[in-house]
Amino acid sequence: MREYIFRHRVTFDETNVVGNVYFAHYLHWQGHCRESFLADHAPGVLAELRRGELVLVTVSCSMEYFAESFALDEIEVGMTLRGTHGNRVEMDYEFRRAGRLVARGNQTVSCLRRGDDGVRPVHVPEELAGALRPYAAEVLT
């Protein structure tokens, strides 16, 4: 299985008074990874997001934590596609420091199109579906 890799250097402002990374930053990094993926592999989708035509809304996310991370650690975020269903994309994330798993998460986003009557669900844009396909946990048709 192929992963999309996003690398992040932890900054001091991402740590708490104890010195470790505050838990919510891992969820924030999921978003950074997803947006970096769009910039690298689906620029048309990114352009639609910028124009406000397409909306990607996080409808669920979760995290499990296994070890602490600290300021100036380099965190590798690996993203894979769990699946697509209608207008939803489900992604899994692994957070590693020096090859060691420190956290695992997942996220589901809903694809919506903005119109005069508000937002409505739409199928995952073909450019995005095609870009995600190589990162699927199993072969998607």
Side-chain angles (χ1 to χ4, degrees):
M1 172 176 45
R2 191 168 146 202
E3 288 183 305
Y4 175 78
I5 301 295
F6 172 78
R7 287 182 176 77
H8 177 74
R9 171 93 47 203
V10 177
T11 59
F12 284 101
D13 70 324
E14 295 173 312
T15 61
N16 59 26
V17 71
V18 178
N20 59 352
V21 172
Y22 186 67
F23 75 94
H25 288 292
Y26 291 90
L27 292 170
H28 194 71
W29 300 338
Q30 284 184 4
H32 286 208
C33 183
R34 184 186 70 205
E35 291 162 12
S36 182
F37 178 86
L38 291 173
D40 291 346
H41 297 288
V45 170
L46 188 56
E48 287 187 77
L49 289 167
R50 285 181 178 153
R51 289 190 303 267
E53 299 164 1
L54 181 68
V55 182
L56 297 179
V57 176
T58 300
V59 294
S60 69
C61 60
S62 68
M63 290 293 306
E64 293 179 272
Y65 305 96
F66 307 112
E68 294 178 320
S69 296
F70 303 91
L72 305 180
D73 283 349
E74 184 171 299
I75 303 298
E76 181 181 274
V77 182
M79 182 185 80
T80 56
L81 174 67
R82 179 182 294 178
T84 58
H85 309 282
N87 74 321
R88 293 188 175 203
V89 177
E90 299 174 21
M91 298 155 290
D92 290 322
Y93 297 85
E94 287 195 350
F95 299 79
R96 294 179 288 274
R97 183 187 64 245
R100 181 176 176 212
L101 185 66
V102 295
R104 181 180 295 133
N106 62 62
Q107 182 179 89
T108 301
V109 297
S110 179
C111 299
L112 306 169
R113 180 101 24 217
R114 193 178 307 276
D116 293 335
D117 57 343
V119 294
R120 60 181 165 69
V122 294
H123 284 286
V124 177
E126 185 50 44
E127 180 187 18
L128 179 56
L132 286 167
R133 213 167 276 122
Y135 299 92
E138 55 188 60
V139 176
L140 300 176
T141 55

